[in-house]
Every structure is written in structure tokens, then in C-alpha cells.
């Protein structure tokens, strides 16, 4: 059809979440409860952490996966039937948490993307893996720090204190609180030190190959997941995430982008990198206070709307203007500090850049979905490689309908009620058809980009946001001259 030029309200002010950050009724009491619950959750997590040495040699890692294979085969023989027995799912989760590295990362990717389409025992196992890993014993931790920062690193770099018990443990490394001399003022300031597990960077290839064989044993993942493509993307992402020098560069760049944005500079921040205490496998940054944004569920509607709108605005800026996105969907990477009304952005290991042509066409796709423009949506989907033109009518219909669901919050200028939208359930209905009907894997960029968009929507739903969204997308459309 003819090109559609979106209507442009005259002199529309730029999208500004600040206006929604007015104090809401009951916010102070709710904020106090939020801070207390965050402290309690952190304390419980630290209590549950199990010290277990990371298998760092090729032989030790091969042995760990081999024993998992034996346990899976035994449980399957004893259990009989199809699917994955609960004992096997438990063995899988336990092994992922112990081995860490690429295996745990892949398990977390599967959990985030497709947990509701997996058998319940496997979904539960992957969710457990997503919650955290085991931690390094003190001797292994100190050996890694000395190997990276040199003998006497505490004295040489003015480290006043270092807490050996981590505050978080993930697939690639664990995070510790410390106090150091500020490189600019000399005053003692709180920092966090992220320490990578030894051996994980060198074991990416073998870990993924071993896990691929083991997943084949369970025979529970539908072919529409395109597991081999997920593994290929995971391999590439992991190589980037294991390089803390690259992450530090991304963090500095993000800090500059946020400070240079008139909206974000007032309500968001990115911590400084402490270069002297950073290396390829250690990254030290300013400590940021706050609770994960998804826990801000008891704050007033006004403040919840502000947080959600800020998150959506940031997501649009990242994807379509900066073409660089912090793609990890873990809400623990976005800390809301009510005392300063500020969102702190942390952990930039999963930062990805996108080609300009891809993001411009993807913006056209989202704008077509927002305007329920079927022909433009299908055209953009073919251009991007989501479809190849040979799909069945049922698959095409599922693809179009899922696009329209994604575009729904942007469809009108009226506030959209995420809390009652049932977005995820409706998207899941269409996604189930993708698993059996789609003919090719989505474009490579889509894996991280979809995680980002899905995370933004999920946060809006968790916060039960009721807010205008169209103006945020509309402003991006105007900047890029998108025509349907």
C-alpha cells in the first residue's frame, strides 16, 4: 500500500520520565520496606551460597560433565517413559551451578527465553540455575586476585577492606564489596570487585559441546528452539562477556551516553571504573545503592510508572539511537535508589552493538506493529530474516499476531495498563506455534535484542505500570524518518 506518514503532534515535548517522579502517597514507607527487603534477600542469598571450587582444568570439567551424563542416563533407565525425570533435572541444575561458565550461561539463556515451553522439571532446574552459582573457596579466590592484580595488590592500591563473602555469584564470576582510596580525591569510597572464575574463558568451546551432547540425551527440547543456533550465539556472547577489559570500555562509553542524555542524566547513572584495580578477569567499579527495579512493586503508582517509563525510554534510546544495548535481562543490573530517585545501571558484559541498517529496519517493524500495518510488518520481517517467504499461512498469521501484541502498548496515545494486559500469555500462545512451524532461526541480532525488549515489557508488567508509551517510540520514529 501507500506509505503511511505518522501524525506528529506540534511542539510535543520530549518523553521525560522525570515528570512522573513526583512523590506519591505512601512512597516513603514503601521505600523503607523495599530497602529492608532487599537487605534481607541479600543476606539470605549469602547464607545459601555454597563454597565449591570451580573445576578449572579441561580434565576436571570433562569429568564433571561426564558424571552428569551418567546420572542422566541412569535416571532415564530407572524412570522409563519420555521426558526428563525430576532427579535428572536436579542433577542438571546442580552440575550447572558447580561448573559455572558457559554451561551455566546457556542454561540461563534457555531459562529466560523459553521456560514456559519446557517440561516443568527442566524449567524448574533452569530457573534454579538462573538464580545463582556456587562460590569460590577463599584460597581459589585469593589466587585469582593475585594472578590478576599482582602480589600485594591490597597494599599497592589502597584497599582498606575486602569482604571475602560475595554479594552475588553468576555464570562467569562473583561480586565482592570493598573499600578503596578514591583515585580523584583520595577519600575512602565503597566499590564492588567482580572476579571471574578461573578457567571459564578457556573452556567455552568444550563446555558448550559437552552440554550439547547432554541435552541431546534428555531429548526434551523441541526442534523449533534451534538449540544449535542458540549455542552459536552463546559462544559469541560468552567470548565478549569473559573479557572484562572490553566490559570496562563499554561501561565508560555507557557512562558518557547517559551523562550526555538530557533525560537520563537526571534520573540514571553508570558507575565509574577503577582502572588500577581492573584487569582482563577483575573489574572494579563504584558501589551503587538500591534494590533491583522489579522489587519496587509497593511504591506508589506514580513512582512505578516513572520507573517503568524510564526503563522503556532507555531501551528505545539504546536500540535505535545508540545502537548499543546492555542486553542482560537480569533486573539485578538495574538498581532503583528511592532516596535519590535514580536508577543505577550496572554490569555491561552483555553489551552488544547493532548494525545501523538492522536497527532502522527493526524500528520500522515495531512501528508497523504499533500501527497494525500488516503489509509493512511482513515486509520488514522478510528483510530482517524473521521469515523467508515459504512459511505456511498458519505460521505467517502467528507471526503477524505476535507482532501486533508487541506493538499494542504503542498503538495509541492513551495510557496503557500493563498490569491487566496479559501480554506474556498471549505472546506465549503464538510462540508455541513458532516452535513447530518456523522454517529458520531468527537473525542473530534478534536473540539479544528480544531479550532486551522482553525484559522491558516484563518490568512494566511486574510494576503494574499504567502509562503512555507511544510518544517514546514516536519520537524515535521521527528522528530516524521511518516510513511504513
Amino acid at each position: 500500500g501507500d506509505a503511511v506518514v505518522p501524525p506528529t503532534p506540534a511542539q510535543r515535548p520530549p518523553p521525560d520520565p522525570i515528570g512522573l517522579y513526583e512523590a506519591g502517597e505512601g512512597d516513603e514507607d514503601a521505600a523503607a520496606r523495599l530497602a529492608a527487603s532487599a537487605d534481607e534477600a541479600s543476606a539470605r542469598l549469602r547464607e545459601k551460597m555454597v563454597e565449591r571450587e570451580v573445576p578449572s582444568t579441561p580434565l576436571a570439567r570433562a569429568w564433571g560433565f561426564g558424571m552428569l551424563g551418567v546420572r542422566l542416563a541412569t535416571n532415564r533407565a530407572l524412570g522409563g517413559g519420555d521426558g526428563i525425570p525430576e532427579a535428572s533435572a536436579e542433577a542438571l541444575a546442580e552440575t550447572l551451578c558447580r561448573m559455572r561458565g558457559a554451561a551455566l550461561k546457556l542454561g540461563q539463556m534457555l531459562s529466560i527465553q523459553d521456560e514456559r515451553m519446557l517440561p516443568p522439571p527442566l524449567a524448574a532446574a533452569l530457573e534454579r540455575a538462573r538464580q545463582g552459582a556456587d562460590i569460590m573457596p577463599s584460597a581459589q579466590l585469593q589466587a585469582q586476585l593475585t594472578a590478576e592484580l599482582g602480589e600485594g595488590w591490597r597494599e599497592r592500591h589502597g584497599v582498606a577492606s575486602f569482604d571475602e563473602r560475595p554479594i552475588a555469584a553468576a555464570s562467569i564470576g562473583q561480586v565482592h564489596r570493598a573499600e578503596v582510596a578514591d583515585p580523584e580525591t583520595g577519600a575512602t569510597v565503597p566499590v564492588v570487585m567482580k572476579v571471574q572464575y578461573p578457567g571459564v574463558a578457556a573452556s567455552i568451546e568444550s563446555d558448550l559441546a559437552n552440554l550439547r551432547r547432554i541435552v541431546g540425551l534428555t531429548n526434551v527440547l523441541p526442534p523449533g528452539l534451534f538449540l544449535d543456533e542458540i549455542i552459536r550465539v552463546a559462544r559469541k556472547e560468552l567470548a565478549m562477556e569473559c573479557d572484562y577489559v572490553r566490559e570496562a570500555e563499554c561501561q565508560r562509553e555507557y557512562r558518557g551516553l547517559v551523562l550526555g542524555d538530557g533525560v537520563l542524566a537526571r534520573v540514571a547513572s553508570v558507575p565509574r571504573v577503577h582502572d588500577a584495580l581492573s584487569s582482563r578477569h577483575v573489574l572494579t567499579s563504584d558501589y551503587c545503592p538500591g534494590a533491583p527495579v522489579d522489587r519496587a512493586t509497593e511504591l506508589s503508582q506514580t513512582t512505578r510508572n516513572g520507573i517503568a517509563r524510564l526503563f522503556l525510554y532507555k531501551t528505545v534510546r539504546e536500540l535505535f539511537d545508540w545502537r548499543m544495548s546492555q542486553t542482560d535481562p537480569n533486573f539485578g543490573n538495574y538498581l532503583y535508589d528511592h532516596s535519590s530517585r535514580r536508577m543505577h545501571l550496572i554490569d555491561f558484559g552483555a553489551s552488544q552493538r547493532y548494525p545501523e541498517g538492522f536497527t532502522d529496519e527493526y524500528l520500522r517493524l515495531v512501528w508497523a506493529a504499533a500501527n497494525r500495518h500488516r503489509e509493512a510488518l511482513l515486509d520488514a520481517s522478510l528483510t530482517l530474516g524473521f521469515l523467508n517467504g515459504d512459511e505456511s499461512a498458519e505460521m505467517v498469521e502467528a507471526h503477524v499476531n505476535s507482532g501486533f501484541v508487541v506493538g499494542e502498548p504503542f498503538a495509541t496515545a492513551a495510557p496503557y495498563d500493563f498490569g491487566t494486559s496479559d501480554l506474556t500469555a498471549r505472546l506465549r500462545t503464538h510462540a508455541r506455534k513458532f516452535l513447530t512451524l518456523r522454517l529458520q532461526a531468527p537473525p542473530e541480532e534478534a536473540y539479544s535484542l528480544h531479550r532486551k525488549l522482553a525484559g522491558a515489557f516484563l518490568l512494566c508488567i511486574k510494576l503494574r505500570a499504567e502509562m503512555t508509551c507511544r510518544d517514546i517510540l514516536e519520537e524515535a520514529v521521527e528522528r530516524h524518518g521511518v516510513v511504513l
Side-chain angles (χ1 to χ4, degrees), residues 351-373:
S351 299
Q352 294 216 22
R353 299 180 191 278
Y354 300 102
E356 183 174 358
F358 180 86
T359 57
D360 284 353
E361 192 65 21
Y362 196 87
L363 177 57
R364 181 169 169 256
L365 175 68
V366 176
W367 189 237
N371 290 283
R372 299 185 69 84
H373 196 304

Side-chain angles (χ1 to χ4, degrees), residues 54-70 95 98-100 103 199 202-211 213-214:
V54 182
S56 57
T57 67
L59 180 60
R61 298 190 74 80
W63 175 261
F65 285 112
M67 291 307 296
L68 172 62
V70 170
T95 300
R98 177 165 42 87
M99 301 300 286
R100 284 150 278 192
S203 65
I204 291 172
E205 290 290 339
S206 58
D207 276 11
L208 292 175
N210 283 322
L211 195 63
R213 284 192 288 270
I214 287 164

Side-chain angles (χ1 to χ4, degrees), residues 390-417:
D390 294 327
E391 285 81 9
S392 66
E394 186 180 5
M395 172 61 200
V396 170
E397 203 60 30
H399 179 80
V400 169
N401 288 334
S402 68
F404 287 168
V405 172
V406 169
E408 205 172 86
F410 307 108
T412 72
Y416 185 78
D417 186 349

Side-chain angles (χ1 to χ4, degrees), residues 45-64:
L45 177 65
R46 297 182 81 190
E47 285 175 11
K48 287 166 59 179
M49 289 175 174
V50 177
E51 281 195 10
R52 203 149 31 181
E53 188 165 316
V54 182
S56 57
T57 67
L59 180 60
R61 298 190 74 80
W63 175 261

Side-chain angles (χ1 to χ4, degrees), residues 4 6 101 103 121 125 282 368 384 437 446:
V4 177
V282 174
L384 291 167
L437 296 174

Side-chain angles (χ1 to χ4, degrees), residues 272-431:
R272 295 175 304 168
V273 173
H274 288 249
D275 295 318
L277 282 165
S278 298
S279 69
R280 192 171 180 82
H281 298 130
V282 174
L283 179 57
T284 302
S285 306
D286 284 337
Y287 169 76
C288 295
V293 286
D294 64 322
R295 293 186 186 160
T297 53
E298 291 187 42
L299 296 175
S300 67
Q301 185 72 56
T302 298
T303 300
R304 294 199 315 273
N305 288 348
I307 295 170
R309 196 166 149 82
L310 166 59
F311 200 91
L312 188 63
Y313 172 84
K314 179 189 71 71
T315 299
V316 169
R317 288 288 279 159
E318 283 181 285
L319 296 181
F320 303 124
D321 294 311
W322 303 345
R323 296 192 298 279
M324 178 181 179
S325 180
Q326 175 190 17
T327 62
D328 189 337
N330 182 355
F331 291 128
N333 294 337
Y334 310 93
L335 305 176
Y336 177 65
D337 178 31
H338 190 72
S339 63
S340 62
R341 302 286 172 91
R342 188 171 286 271
M343 185 188 296
H344 299 289
L345 317 179
I346 61 175
D347 196 338
F348 295 86
S351 299
Q352 294 216 22
R353 299 180 191 278
Y354 300 102
E356 183 174 358
F358 180 86
T359 57
D360 284 353
E361 192 65 21
Y362 196 87
L363 177 57
R364 181 169 169 256
L365 175 68
V366 176
W367 189 237
N371 290 283
R372 299 185 69 84
H373 196 304
R374 181 187 176 93
E375 291 76 16
L377 188 152
L378 287 173
D379 182 64
S381 298
L382 286 164
T383 301
L384 291 167
F386 285 102
L387 303 173
N388 65 14
D390 294 327
E391 285 81 9
S392 66
E394 186 180 5
M395 172 61 200
V396 170
E397 203 60 30
H399 179 80
V400 169
N401 288 334
S402 68
F404 287 168
V405 172
V406 169
E408 205 172 86
F410 307 108
T412 72
Y416 185 78
D417 186 349
F418 282 91
T420 61
S421 66
D422 205 22
L423 271 179
T424 51
R426 286 185 286 144
L427 282 173
R428 200 157 59 239
T429 300
H430 300 306

